[in-house]
Amino acid sequence: MSDLNLKPNLAAPDAFYEELIATHEGLQDDESAALNARLILILANHIGDSDVLSAAMKLAKDPASVSS
Amino acid sequence: MLQDRYSLAFKLYPYARRADQDATEVVRHPVVVIGGGPIGLATALDLGRQGKPVVVLDDHEGVGQGSRAICFAKRTLEIAQRYGCGQPMVDKGVVWNLGKVFFDDRKIYDFNLLPEDGHRNPAFINLQQPYFEKFIHDQIVAEVAQGAPIDIRGKNRVEAITSQDDHVVLDILTPEGPYQIEADWVVACDGASSPTRAMLGLDFEGRVFEDSFLIADIKMKNNEFPTERWFWFEPYFKAGASTLLHKQPDDVWRVDFQIGWDVDRKEELKEENIRKRLDALLGNDAEYEMVWSSIYTFQCRRMKEFRHGRVIFAGDAAHQVSPFGARGANSGMQDVDNLGWKLGLVLDGNAPEALIDSYHEERAFGADENILNSTRSTDFITPKSKTSHMFRNAVLELAEHVEFPRSIVNSGRLSLPCTYDGLSLNGADKLEGGPNRTRVGSPCPDAPVADGFLLDKLGGGFTLLTIDADAPNELDVDGVAVSRLALNGTDKHLAERYLGAAKSAVYLIRPDQHVAARWSTYDQTALEAALKTACAKG
C-alpha cells in the first residue's frame, strides 16, 4: 500500500503532454472518449494498488478535495 | 380451486388424504415446510435425517418442467453429498472447464477454469433443475424407508397463515377440501413470489433490472458443439444484446438471449421467432428441436429479516439475485445447510432461539454478498450509461490483445460460499500461521484423506478436527455432542489448507462444515467457550 503521488513525477512533462494531445489528433469525440477509457484501464492495471486508484478517482472527481 | 400453475417433469408426491384432515383437534407439528422445490425438499431432508418430524406442503404433485437453474456449484454438491444425494447429481451433470468469450464478430479469448485438485467434487456442474430436485426427492424416499419422519403432501396449498407467539396456524386447501394444522416452526421455501411472504404482508425490496432474457433449451441434431461455455457480448448476429450458450445433460443446450426490456412476451415466445434468433446464432443449416423456452426478468432484492417469529424464510423466498454467477439455487442450498442444524438443536432444547436469529445474520450477509456480485456482473453485461458502455467495450477491446483486462471481463462470477467474517457465532481464531482460507467463519475446503475425502468425514454434528494434536475422542457440552476426527498433516493438500505455517491444529467445525474456532492445540475450556458461542448460548 502506498500513497497517491501528488508531487511532480514526470521526467519530461512537456513531451508527455504533447504526446497525449497528439494521440487524440484526428479522432471524433466518441473515439477520443474510447481511447481515454482504454488508457485509464491500462494505467490502472499498471498501478494496481487499489488505495492509490481510489485516491486518484476521488481527486479527479473533486480536485478541490486535496490542496497541496 | 386448486389449479396447476405449471406442468410437471416428474410426478413425485400425488395427493393422498392424511389423518390430520379427519382429526377432531388441530394437529401440531414441530416443523412445516411450505414449498416442495429444491430448497424445501432439501430442508425436509436435512431435518428428516436428524430424526426431526417434518411436513412439506406443496400446491403441486411434483417437480415442474423447465431446466431453470442449471448451474450447481461445488458447495451445493458438497451439501448434497452430506445429505446422501450428491453423487447422482455429479454422475448425471455435465462438467466443463473451457470457456470462450466473443465480442461482436470475433472470439476475443478463451479460458480454462483449471479447478484446484484435491477435491471430491468439480467446481460446478450443469444439470437441469428437475433432475436436481428429483435426486433430492429420491434420497428422501430412501431415508423415509429407513424411518426418517418426512411427510410430503402434494396438492396442499396454504391459504392463510396466522403467526402466534410460539406457533403458527396454517389453513390448507386440498382437492378434498380445507383443513388446518399448527406448526412450532414454519420454513417458507415458496420461491421468489412467495405467497407466504405476501400473506404475512412482509417487505421484499431491491433493484429491478430493466431487461428480459429469452431462454431456449434445444437438442442438436446435426451439429456437434463442444462442452464449453460460450458468451457473446453484442453479437454481430443481433440475436440479443448478449448471448450465452452452454451444455446440459441429455445433449440439450441452453441458449440465453438478452432481448431488452420492452418486449412482447407472447410474440417473442412463438417458436418461429425463437428459431429466428437461434438460426442467427447457429447458422441456417443447424438442425435442432426445441425442448423448452421461457422469458424471464429479474430483480436483486432481499427481505430485511429472514425470520419473523416462528416463520423462517429460505431460498428465493428470502432473497433474489440476477442469474449471472448462479447464485440463486446455490445460495438457497447454503440457507438450508445453515438452518438445518440450528433448528435441530433448538427443537431438542439444546440451544436458545437466538440460534435461529443467527440464521438471518449469516444468510443475510451471504445474500448481500451474492447481490453485490450479481449486480456487478449485470452492470458489466448491460451497461446503464453511455460512459459505462464505453468502459465496458474498452475492456473487451483490450482483452482481445492483452491479458490484464480478461480479469475485468464479467459475464458472471462463479458462486462461492460465503465466509461469515466477524459474525456472532464465531469463536477464537488462534492458529498462528494458519491459512487464511480456513479462518474462522469459512466453509471447510475439501482435501484428500487416507480413505476418501475430508468433507465426507465431517458428519451431521460438531466435529473436532485435530491435525497432529491430541484431544478427547468424544465430548458432550450441555447436550451438544462433539466427535473428534484425528488426522496427520502428511497430505500436502490438507497441510496447505489447514496447517499453513502451523505445526499442529485443532478446528471446531460446525455441522454445516463452517469453521467455528481454531487453535494450535486442544484446550478444554477454550473448546467449551467456542461451542457455547457457536450455539448462541454466549
Side-chain angles (χ1 to χ4, degrees):
Chain A
M1 195 174 82
S2 57
D3 291 332
L4 178 64
N5 186 359
L6 297 177
K7 301 288 177 206
N9 193 38
L10 294 164
D14 292 352
F16 158 74
Y17 191 76
E18 182 189 11
E19 190 176 354
L20 179 64
I21 301 306
T23 302
H24 284 273
E25 247 172 41
L27 298 183
Q28 300 296 314
D29 285 352
D30 275 2
E31 294 167 333
S32 261
L35 186 154
N36 279 337
R38 292 193 294 272
L39 186 59
I40 289 166
L41 293 167
I42 292 163
L43 296 175
N45 182 67
H46 185 85
I47 293 163
D49 188 312
S50 56
D51 292 320
V52 172
L53 293 171
S54 291
M57 285 187 264
K58 282 192 189 88
L59 177 59
K61 185 152 198 178
D62 182 10
S65 65
V66 182
S67 41
S68 57
Chain B
M1 272 291 285
L2 266 177
Q3 253 176 353
D4 281 353
R5 289 173 289 116
Y6 48 81
S7 50
L8 299 183
F10 303 109
K11 190 170 185 173
L12 298 177
Y13 34 84
Y15 171 76
R17 195 172 182 85
R18 296 296 199 279
D20 287 359
Q21 290 165 262
D22 301 312
T24 45
E25 282 204 24
V26 176
V27 178
R28 173 83 64 96
H29 296 271
V31 182
V32 171
V33 173
I34 302 177
I39 307 311
L41 289 179
T43 301
L45 182 53
D46 188 312
L47 292 167
R49 284 169 60 89
Q50 298 181 57
K52 304 285 176 282
V54 54
V55 173
V56 181
L57 304 173
D58 194 275
D59 60 352
H60 288 67
E61 296 181 303
V63 178
Q65 266 181 357
S67 55
R68 294 167 291 152
I70 62 161
C71 228
F72 295 96
K74 177 187 285 165
R75 185 62 203 146
T76 294
L77 299 172
E78 290 167 352
I79 295 165
Q81 216 100 49
R82 182 160 84 77
Y83 295 156
C85 51
Q87 202 53 47
M89 295 172 183
V90 176
D91 292 344
K92 179 78 188 172
V94 170
V95 177
W96 62 268
N97 291 311
L98 295 173
K100 289 188 177 135
V101 178
F102 300 83
F103 180 37
D104 191 11
D105 59 350
R106 61 206 186 272
K107 185 184 87 179
I108 54 172
Y109 67 97
D110 41 35
F111 60 87
N112 186 333
L113 295 172
L114 294 174
E116 188 183 61
D117 62 1
H119 292 254
R120 176 171 170 174
N121 287 297
F124 53 89
I125 58 168
N126 282 0
L127 180 72
Q128 293 91 331
Q129 185 175 332
Y131 283 123
F132 184 79
E133 296 184 44
K134 170 92 166 43
F135 293 138
I136 298 175
H137 187 265
D138 288 348
Q139 186 62 25
I140 289 178
V141 171
E143 301 278 349
V144 167
Q146 305 283 317
I150 305 170
D151 177 9
I152 307 178
R153 303 182 182 179
K155 289 246 186 217
N156 273 238
R157 187 172 72 202
V158 176
E159 298 280 281
I161 179 163
T162 315
S163 261
Q164 305 290 350
D165 280 351
D166 65 344
H167 72 281
V168 178
V169 183
L170 297 164
D171 286 277
I172 300 164
L173 184 65
T174 75
E176 296 183 300
Y179 72 108
Q180 252 190 357
I181 53 173
E182 293 177 353
D184 292 331
W185 294 93
V186 164
V187 187
C189 311
D190 46 357
S193 55
S194 170
T196 306
R197 201 181 53 226
M199 284 185 277
L200 291 172
L202 298 171
D203 65 277
F204 198 38
E205 280 169 22
R207 191 174 157 194
V208 184
F209 288 86
E210 298 203 333
D211 226 317
S212 339
F213 288 78
L214 171 70
I215 312 175
D217 277 358
I218 56 175
K219 207 164 197 167
M220 297 290 193
K221 283 186 186 161
N222 69 343
N223 215 331
E224 280 291 311
F225 271 82
T227 304
E228 298 174 356
R229 177 189 199 259
W230 290 11
F231 194 98
W232 281 265
F233 291 97
E234 300 183 5
Y236 69 97
F237 45 80
K238 307 289 179 205
S242 72
T243 300
L244 172 64
L245 174 74
H246 51 166
K247 195 183 181 184
Q248 307 173 53
D250 304 335
D251 291 318
V252 172
W253 293 87
R254 158 71 74 84
V255 192
D256 281 67
F257 298 107
Q258 181 195 344
I259 59 171
W261 181 241
D262 198 16
V263 296
D264 181 341
R265 296 173 77 99
K266 219 174 151 186
E267 194 61 25
E268 291 293 350
L269 279 171
K270 283 185 183 159
E271 177 159 346
E272 73 224 51
N273 290 330
I274 298 177
R275 279 188 177 270
K276 262 184 220 160
R277 290 186 189 275
L278 287 165
D279 290 345
L281 162 70
L282 301 167
N284 284 327
D285 54 341
E287 278 187 48
Y288 52 86
E289 93 190 53
M290 308 236 347
V291 178
W292 179 69
S293 61
S294 171
I295 287 182
Y296 69 93
T297 56
F298 57 85
Q299 307 200 351
C300 283
R301 55 186 181 172
R302 75 161 168 91
M303 296 178 74
K304 214 183 214 164
E305 297 289 333
F306 292 0
R307 178 191 170 192
H308 289 264
R310 291 301 184 97
V311 183
I312 304 160
F313 291 83
D316 284 357
H319 45 76
Q320 210 192 341
V321 293
S322 84
F324 308 116
R327 289 161 189 275
N330 285 307
S331 67
M333 286 298 285
Q334 289 164 51
D335 292 349
V336 178
D337 193 33
N338 190 287
L339 179 62
W341 66 275
K342 293 176 177 176
L343 208 43
L345 282 176
V346 171
L347 286 168
D348 283 340
N350 285 324
E353 278 189 32
L355 188 58
I356 303 296
D357 293 326
S358 79
Y359 161 77
H360 163 75
E361 184 195 25
E362 294 183 336
R363 294 312 304 157
F365 184 82
D368 288 344
E369 196 175 284
N370 286 322
I371 289 170
L372 173 71
N373 277 294
S374 76
T375 301
R376 285 173 170 175
S377 301
T378 307
D379 285 340
F380 190 86
I381 293 165
T382 58
K384 302 296 181 294
S385 69
K386 200 179 163 202
T387 300
S388 168
H389 191 215
M390 192 176 60
F391 270 108
R392 199 283 303 274
N393 285 2
V395 169
L396 295 173
E397 272 162 30
L398 287 167
E400 186 178 358
H401 306 286
V402 289
E403 198 181 333
F404 85 81
R406 296 172 194 172
S407 65
I408 307 175
V409 173
N410 188 345
S411 64
R413 299 281 182 232
L414 178 64
S415 164
L416 293 172
C418 140
T419 295
Y420 302 130
D421 280 320
L423 302 190
S424 56
L425 298 190
N426 291 357
D429 199 338
K430 289 194 172 156
L431 178 62
E432 209 173 305
N436 187 49
R437 70 188 288 184
T438 41
R439 67 189 184 275
V440 171
S442 308
C444 287
D446 207 358
V449 293
D451 49 346
F453 283 92
L454 174 65
L455 295 188
D456 293 338
K457 313 271 173 203
L458 303 177
F462 279 90
T463 304
L464 193 63
L465 168 66
T466 61
I467 303 173
D468 299 320
D470 281 329
N473 285 327
E474 298 291 337
L475 283 149
D476 188 298
V477 183
D478 294 335
V480 180
V482 183
S483 306
R484 179 187 178 202
L485 173 63
L487 298 174
N488 58 56
T490 47
D491 177 81
K492 76 173 166 90
H493 296 103
L494 188 75
E496 264 169 33
R497 292 167 197 175
Y498 288 88
L499 281 177
K503 287 204 162 53
S504 66
V506 174
Y507 282 79
L508 177 63
I509 297 168
R510 309 188 331 188
D512 59 8
Q513 302 175 339
H514 278 255
V515 176
R518 64 177 181 175
W519 309 269
S520 54
T521 56
Y522 175 74
D523 177 283
Q524 175 92 17
T525 314
L527 173 90
E528 286 183 11
L531 191 61
K532 278 185 181 149
T533 303
C535 296
K537 293 176 181 175

